[in-house]
Amino acid sequence: MPTFSNPVLSGSHPDPSIWRVGEDFYLVTSSFAFHPGIPVLHSRDLVDWRPLGHVVDRPSQVSLTGLDVSDGLWAATIRHHEGTFYVVVALARGRRGGTTYLFTASDPAGPWSDPVVLDAEGIDPSLFFDDDGRCWFTACRDAAEPEVTGPGELWMRELDLSTLELTGPTHALWYGAMRGAWVEAPHLYKRDGVYHLIGAEGGTEHHHAVTAARADAVTGPYTTDPRSPLLTHRHRGAAEPIHNVGHVDLVDTPAGETWAVALGTRPVDGTHTLGREVFLVPVEWTRRGPVFAPDTGRVSLSERLPAGTAEVPPARQGPVRDDFTGPSLGPEWYGLRGPADDLVAPAPEAGGLIIRLSPEPLTSTGTQAFVVRRQRHLRMRAAAPVRLGTAVPGQEAGLVVFQNHRQHATLALTVDADGTRQAVLTAVEAGTATRLAVVPVTDDEVVLAVEGDESDYTFHAGDSTLGSIERPFFSTERAGGFVGVHLGLYGVGDAQEGAGVAHVRWFEYEPRPTG
Ligand code: 6LW
């Protein structure tokens, strides 16, 4: 039987939401404080996903300034109805829901509208279009009487599609099946006249689980599906390769199957660095509701292909080099909290990327001269030839291994007070920087490289090895938050007259086989 490998989206792609229009599947994920925000991906087979665009690509849509890396845009839902795509998302501040936004587009590749602010509290908003054309908004929030119901509440209001306002009464739908932790991630589906409310419980970590309730009317009353949890790996041991499974969205294929996209992690010795990734899980609808992974009851690294798909392209092997020849950076590159195009941009006449050094340090909550892409493989090498335009003490540019603004490492070219060029390896933990190694360099341009594997990240400048940082240093377990490791380029320094520029001819990312 032909199979595919899970995850179908490796690296930090949390909280997947999926929709199909005809033969085309569209998927969005959380993007937190990264910019552009809310990636939209496209697939024809559910396995091979290509970036299509971003919902948030202009600072006028949403301000992310000042936000912690793991706040920002959380858990968007994508839906399509009568020619319009809808995305709803919560903007989190201080790890809590702040503002709920609704965006629309006629083409999921964009442009997406400026947002409409919905009068909604909480997080994990979703939309359900009923057969009668009415649209229902659901989300989760703190329960009014947590000692009675448990801490979280899934709630609903109607969305008026002509005004894009929530209207009518608020319906409290459900407090979860297990009630030990917040119920969240609600999505509503209708099957054979029954409304199925699927949620997540246990938190996004080890106890994450998919639970469900059902009702005969859209506004309830909802009764708990007694089979809950319907999908979880909370009961699996340390040898289980996939953990933290939950937060699903379901889609029907043209061939008549149902599949779920779920988030999960692949920890190594109890810590994960690649973030929450997207796993594809077969679903069978029964009289009792959806059965996830009917053959095994769990998410697998190797899964049978969806019906109607004979084969999928093999995963790309070998290094991928970005020569920065395009007019702008490709969709795999992200800045923080706003566009960094005036600071980091391809410069074809200079043959590569120009980084204008910025006084904004990587530890700030502003927009730095900084571009990164997801680390998508545990074993990998990233490398870039970097040249610092001037030799001014205090200026630096180079590679960054970025977990968040308070937890990262840099391998930078800089000069000391005597003007001696050097490469410096620095680790920043909980916002405090420690200089780990310094080597002198002689060439103007130095290839800076980092190799990662199960044990550590090892840093090289030209032929010199500066040292290693243990992999768990960059893990979510150590750093907290909701994101995985990103790799990229940055430059810091006060702009001097005509100076303060670094030049990078290319950036190479090479996945390496896991033995
Ligand atoms: C997301 C929520 C969650 O909104 O983490 O714990 C939040 N689960 O469903 C951010 O990814």
Side-chain angles (χ1 to χ4, degrees), residues 88-460:
V88 280
V89 70
L91 181 83
R93 287 190 190 85
R95 302 289 192 274
R96 293 189 60 79
T99 314
T100 302
Y101 293 110
L102 168 68
F103 301 84
T104 56
S106 52
D107 181 346
W112 286 82
S113 69
D114 285 336
V116 173
V117 174
L118 298 181
D119 178 20
E121 55 174 326
I123 60 166
D124 295 0
S126 183
L127 297 177
F128 169 69
F129 292 89
D130 208 345
D131 310 331
D132 58 6
R134 292 171 80 177
C135 179
W136 298 92
F137 173 94
T138 55
C140 58
R141 64 183 181 187
D142 288 333
E145 294 181 279
E147 57 293 335
V148 180
T149 60
E153 174 187 272
L154 302 187
W155 63 279
M156 167 187 271
R157 266 183 96 188
E158 187 165 7
L159 178 71
D160 182 327
L161 291 174
S162 57
T163 60
L164 297 183
E165 283 176 8
L166 297 183
T167 177
T170 298
H171 304 273
L173 300 183
W174 191 48
Y175 299 94
M178 301 183 303
R179 305 205 175 181
W182 252 52
V183 57
E184 55 193 12
H187 292 303
L188 196 54
Y189 312 90
K190 190 174 187 179
R191 202 83 182 185
D192 301 327
V194 177
Y195 297 90
H196 295 268
L197 182 61
I198 312 277
E201 286 179 59
T204 196
E205 292 157 359
H206 185 71
H207 295 113
H208 211 193
V210 177
T211 57
R214 55 195 285 164
D216 294 327
V218 69
T219 55
Y222 281 84
T223 52
T224 297
D225 183 332
R227 299 174 303 141
S228 299
L230 303 189
L231 181 69
T232 187
H233 282 193
R234 62 185 359 206
H235 59 303
R236 306 280 304 164
E240 166 61 53
I242 306 167
H243 287 261
N244 304 10
V245 168
H247 202 123
V248 295
D249 196 8
L250 272 53
V251 70
D252 295 336
T253 69
E257 291 185 335
T258 301
W259 288 79
V261 283
L263 78 73
T265 61
R266 291 181 290 165
V268 176
D269 297 332
T271 65
H272 73 279
T273 34
L274 298 184
R276 293 172 295 162
E277 307 178 293
V278 180
F279 293 79
L280 189 60
V281 188
V283 176
E284 187 179 296
W285 280 96
T286 69
R287 254 183 344 102
R288 292 178 297 157
V291 175
F292 290 83
D295 293 346
T296 61
R298 62 193 177 92
V299 184
S300 303
L301 288 177
S302 177
E303 184 56 78
R304 72 162 176 89
L305 275 175
T309 301
E311 57 178 328
V312 289
R316 205 204 298 248
Q317 299 293 327
V320 180
R321 181 177 284 196
D322 191 336
D323 291 309
F324 304 117
T325 48
S328 55
L329 287 169
E332 65 278 22
W333 289 101
Y334 290 88
L336 276 170
R337 307 179 189 92
D341 313 2
D342 54 335
L343 296 170
V344 186
E349 68 288 355
L353 191 77
I354 294 290
I355 304 175
R356 284 175 222 296
L357 309 188
S358 151
E360 197 79 48
L362 298 191
T363 46
S364 85
T365 54
T367 294
Q368 298 86 357
F370 164 95
V371 285
V372 287
R373 48 201 285 164
R374 296 171 184 87
Q375 182 184 346
R376 302 190 65 170
H377 307 80
L378 193 59
R379 290 189 182 175
M380 59 85 216
R381 175 178 184 271
V386 179
R387 181 161 55 82
L388 206 50
T390 47
V392 178
Q395 295 187 341
E396 60 181 81
L399 279 187
V400 56
V401 177
F402 190 78
Q403 159 54 233
N404 66 44
H405 59 294
R406 293 170 56 76
Q407 189 89 12
H408 53 259
T410 55
L411 174 57
L413 294 187
T414 183
V415 294
D416 68 11
D418 303 331
T420 307
R421 290 175 182 272
Q422 54 193 19
V424 180
L425 175 62
T426 305
V428 174
E429 173 144 44
T432 301
T434 307
R435 190 176 261 224
L436 299 180
V438 182
V439 297
V441 294
T442 44
D443 296 338
D444 282 354
E445 181 185 86
V446 180
V447 174
L448 303 177
V450 56
E451 292 172 303
D453 63 16
E454 291 84 340
S455 319
D456 35 40
Y457 290 75
T458 303
F459 295 83
H460 309 274

Side-chain angles (χ1 to χ4, degrees), residues 9 12-21 24-31 34-43 48-57 61 73 76-80 85-89 103-113 278 330-334 374 376:
L9 275 167
S12 190
H13 288 97
D15 311 320
S17 171
I18 190 166
W19 194 256
R20 176 176 66 86
V21 181
D24 298 298
F25 297 98
Y26 301 101
L27 184 146
V28 292
T29 68
S30 297
S31 55
F34 289 97
H35 182 95
I38 315 179
V40 183
L41 298 108
H42 171 258
S43 177
D48 184 32
W49 289 94
R50 301 288 161 107
L52 196 61
H54 290 86
V55 174
V56 175
D57 59 2
Q61 289 171 297
L73 296 164
T77 296
I78 185 165
R79 297 291 182 255
H80 177 266
F85 287 88
Y86 296 81
V87 162
V88 280
V89 70
F103 301 84
T104 56
S106 52
D107 181 346
W112 286 82
S113 69
V278 180
E332 65 278 22
W333 289 101
Y334 290 88
R374 296 171 184 87
R376 302 190 65 170

